[in-house]
Amino acid sequence: TCYGPYPDDQFRLNILQSNFNEILEYYYLLTFILSDTIQSLLFWRPQVQIYSKSLPIHSFIAFVSAVTLVERPHLLPSFFCFLVAWIMLACMGFRNNHPSYWKKCPSFLSLLDILLNGNPTKLPIPIERNTNAKEANAADQIWRDRIRKEEELRYS
C-alpha cells in the first residue's frame, strides 16, 4: 500500500509476507469469481432477481450475444464495449448481494435517477448499528473457508 501503517523505506519480512498474502487473496477472489461466473453462465443458473423470480438473464444475454457475434463478426468492437459495461453491471450486482450495507454500492437505476433528475428521489437508508452483522460475518466466513480449503489443496 502507498500510505499504510508500515514504513516503506525499511525492509521487513513480515511486511513482505503481508503484501504477498494480500495479493494471494485477490488472486483467489478472482479465480473463485471467474469459476462461479462461468458455471452460472453455462448451466443457466438464476442470476438476477426480478420481483420474486430469479432468472438467468446473464446467460440469456451471453447466448444472444454469442449467436449475434458469430453471425456478424464485424460487430466485435461494439460487443467489446458492451462486454465492459456488462461486466461492470455484474460486479455491481455481486457487490449489492452482500448482506452488509457497508459493502453495497449505489445501484445503476439510482445513479441514472440522479443523472436524469439532478436529485435522488429515494433518500438513503439509515443504517442501525450491527444491522445484518451476523449475515455479513457468515458471508465473509464462507469466503475465508473457501480460501483456506484452496490453500490446503494447493499446498498439501
Side-chain angles (χ1 to χ4, degrees), residues 8-80:
D8 58 354
D9 58 346
Q10 298 174 357
F11 176 77
R12 293 187 184 165
L13 196 57
N14 61 344
I15 296 172
L16 183 65
Q17 183 67 37
S18 172
N19 292 338
F20 182 72
N21 287 339
E22 183 179 355
I23 292 171
L24 267 181
E25 188 174 325
Y26 290 129
Y27 168 74
Y28 289 138
L29 182 69
L30 183 65
T31 57
F32 294 152
I33 289 175
L34 283 177
S35 67
D36 291 349
T37 301
I38 290 171
Q39 287 177 7
S40 178
L41 282 176
L42 290 179
F43 298 125
W44 289 70
R45 294 184 179 155
Q47 297 122 356
V48 178
Q49 183 90 17
I50 298 177
Y51 298 110
S52 62
K53 298 279 186 182
S54 292
L55 301 172
I57 300 293
H58 294 297
S59 298
F60 177 74
I61 291 172
F63 177 74
V64 170
S65 299
V67 169
T68 305
L69 195 57
V70 166
E71 292 177 354
R72 297 180 180 91
H74 64 278
L75 295 176
L76 183 63
S78 61
F79 271 88
F80 178 75

Side-chain angles (χ1 to χ4, degrees), residues 92-109:
M92 180 193 64
F94 177 75
R95 285 184 62 186
N96 285 338
N97 282 334
H98 196 280
S100 172
Y101 285 107
W102 297 108
K103 293 192 177 183
K104 294 180 186 278
C105 60
S107 70
F108 176 74
L109 294 177

Side-chain angles (χ1 to χ4, degrees), residues 50-51 66 73 99 115 119 127 148:
I50 298 177
Y51 298 110
L115 180 68
N119 294 321
I127 303 171
R148 184 182 45 78

Side-chain angles (χ1 to χ4, degrees), residues 86-145:
W86 184 29
I87 288 172
M88 291 174 68
L89 286 172
C91 289
M92 180 193 64
F94 177 75
R95 285 184 62 186
N96 285 338
N97 282 334
H98 196 280
S100 172
Y101 285 107
W102 297 108
K103 293 192 177 183
K104 294 180 186 278
C105 60
S107 70
F108 176 74
L109 294 177
S110 66
L111 294 176
L112 184 65
D113 184 38
I114 292 171
L115 180 68
L116 295 176
N117 298 327
N119 294 321
T121 55
K122 291 171 58 177
L123 295 175
I125 301 170
I127 303 171
E128 298 295 326
R129 185 176 184 171
N130 293 328
T131 303
N132 292 347
K134 291 179 183 177
E135 295 87 355
N137 288 335
D140 291 339
Q141 186 63 39
I142 289 171
W143 278 104
R144 285 192 294 271
D145 291 343

